[in-house]
Amino acid sequence: MRAVVAQGTGGPEVLSVAEVPDPQAGPGEVVVRVAAAGLNRADLLQRMGFYPPPPGASDVIGMECSGTVAEVGEGVTQWAVGDEVCCLLAGGGYAELVAVPAGQVMPVPDGVDLVTAAALPEVAATVWSNVFMVAGLRPDETFLVHGGAGGIGTFAIQLAHALGARVATTGGTAEKLEFCRSLGADVTIDYREQDFVEVLREATDGHGADVILDNMGAKYLARNVDALATEGRLVVIGMQGGTKAELDLGALLKKRGAVVATSLRARPVEGKSAICAGVVEHVWPLVAEQKVRPIVHQVLALDDVAAAHELMGSGAHTGKILLTP
Ligand SMILES: NC(=O)c1ccc[n+]([C@@H]2O[C@H](COP(=O)([O-])OP(=O)(O)OC[C@H]3O[C@@H](n4cnc5c(N)ncnc54)[C@H](OP(=O)(O)O)[C@@H]3O)[C@@H](O)[C@H]2O)c1
């Protein structure tokens, strides 16, 4: 098959497409013929050598895809050759074929075309698992998501809004924030010009955020704790602003707050399968009702993988970038 390979680590130019051996479906796995693969910010880190694949995972980059089941491994009963699916992967998505544990395979939600479905698995699994399973966001609560115009952000705004929460978000340009409003954000904050703690406090009559989904890590830790409401929950999923910062436990204690940091990729198959089952049960119906929709910035050919990484690195995108083999 054709797949993206990396000549060492470095910039987008290390990526190219080459012939590699086809993957086989092991016990409990299926092989999917890829219709499209989604880009994730972590793919850029993997390319640079900072985020190696977990043990046993393909060294081909790519943590999500859509496609058609091409082979069914021993013991798999829920999928058949020809099924149209989308998948959460530990790796291997930037390719024509990928092997994936059956529990990480999901049906394509009603009303979504096969290529576009590649925009869904990572964002749906990340947002559902962190904002709802971990932080337990409730309908009457205030939710702050940083980077509302990104892949994760565009989905988080829509899902929290659809489930009845009040949504605040940060973004880097007026245009992006306008788009976030169109997705259901009630409060938008320009992180280049405004202090999100101040704006949020003002917009919520001093209450703050019951749940924060954070992509920045160290840089925002103190301000995120400051922005939390009493009994607020901060979930850190990204470290775009560094990994080490001081946590004022006194400030957290006064609020009876919680800080959690999670990652999806390195979890055992059972954990990821449980998240996928939750997504299919709770999120896919909202996608089918078009209350939550996949946001695709651009679809590029697999051969243009370097340009796709360049685009994500530039931050000029809104929503997801996809590759079609
Ligand atoms: N832990 C996990 O399991 C997990 C899973 C998936 C993703 N993630 C993480 O989630 C984050 C988003 O991923 P993605 O795939 O959605 O990437 P993406 O589409 O590239 O989004 C990145 C976002 O970061 C925002 N940003 C940049 N600087 C910012 C700042 N100073 N303050 C607030 N926001 C800022 C950007 O906003 P503008 O475009 O408006 O500048 C953009 O919306 C990444 O850090 C990724 O590693 C974690």
Side-chain angles (χ1 to χ4, degrees):
M1 67 164 180
R2 296 170 75 247
V4 169
V5 294
Q7 305 298 326
T9 56
E13 70 285 351
V14 302
L15 303 177
S16 60
V17 175
E19 284 289 330
V20 304
D22 288 0
Q24 309 295 319
E29 292 184 339
V30 302
V31 167
V32 171
R33 180 161 293 281
V34 175
L39 256 72
N40 286 278
R41 191 146 276 270
D43 300 351
L44 279 57
L45 296 177
Q46 182 170 341
R47 186 199 73 216
M48 291 187 274
F50 301 131
Y51 192 54
S58 164
D59 56 8
V60 172
I61 299 177
M63 300 197 296
E64 62 187 333
C65 74
S66 60
T68 309
V69 174
E71 188 194 337
V72 174
E74 195 191 312
V76 175
T77 52
Q78 68 269 53
W79 302 111
V81 170
D83 286 348
E84 293 195 334
V85 296
C86 55
C87 317
L88 187 66
L89 308 170
Y94 292 12
E96 287 178 325
L97 295 165
V98 64
V100 49
Q104 291 170 218
V105 178
M106 298 173 278
V108 172
D110 287 345
V112 177
D113 71 79
L114 190 57
V115 166
T116 304
L120 290 171
E122 261 288 330
V123 295
T126 301
V127 173
W128 178 254
S129 62
N130 287 293
V131 178
F132 295 91
M133 291 169 70
V134 173
L137 180 69
R138 294 187 290 271
D140 54 344
E141 289 189 318
T142 297
F143 170 58
L144 168 64
V145 56
H146 287 296
I152 296 287
T154 48
F155 199 83
I157 291 171
Q158 295 183 81
L159 189 57
H161 174 72
L163 293 173
R166 179 163 203 233
V167 181
T169 193
T170 56
T173 67
E175 201 186 0
K176 287 188 180 189
L177 289 171
E178 191 49 48
F179 186 67
C180 293
R181 277 196 176 273
S182 77
L183 295 177
D186 304 286
V187 180
T188 54
I189 307 159
D190 186 334
Y191 67 74
R192 294 181 205 271
E193 309 267 332
Q194 295 175 294
D195 174 356
F196 69 82
V197 183
E198 234 169 64
V199 178
L200 188 72
R201 228 179 246 148
E202 214 163 280
T204 59
D205 293 328
H207 178 81
D210 298 290
V211 172
I212 301 177
L213 186 65
D214 173 66
N215 59 344
M216 295 305 291
K219 188 174 170 189
Y220 277 6
L221 181 63
R223 277 186 284 162
N224 276 333
V225 170
D226 217 10
L228 278 182
T230 301
E231 299 192 348
R233 294 84 74 196
L234 163 63
V235 188
V236 180
I237 61 162
M239 297 173 291
Q240 288 169 228
T243 59
K244 288 188 184 168
E246 204 169 274
L247 174 63
D248 180 347
L249 288 169
L252 193 63
L253 182 146
K254 260 191 254 161
K255 293 185 171 179
R256 302 188 297 281
V259 180
V260 185
T262 78
S263 107
L264 188 57
R265 189 190 197 186
R267 292 184 200 215
V269 169
E270 300 72 44
K272 283 191 273 198
S273 301
I275 291 170
C276 288
V279 164
V280 172
E281 183 181 347
H282 300 284
V283 182
W284 272 198
L286 296 168
V287 177
E289 286 170 45
Q290 296 185 3
K291 289 186 173 155
V292 177
R293 61 191 171 94
I295 307 294
V296 176
H297 179 85
Q298 198 176 340
V299 183
L300 293 93
L302 194 65
D303 287 302
D304 295 326
V305 60
H309 270 228
E310 197 90 60
L311 173 60
M312 180 168 259
S314 77
H317 62 295
T318 299
K320 297 286 294 186
I321 301 165
L322 304 182
L323 291 170
T324 50

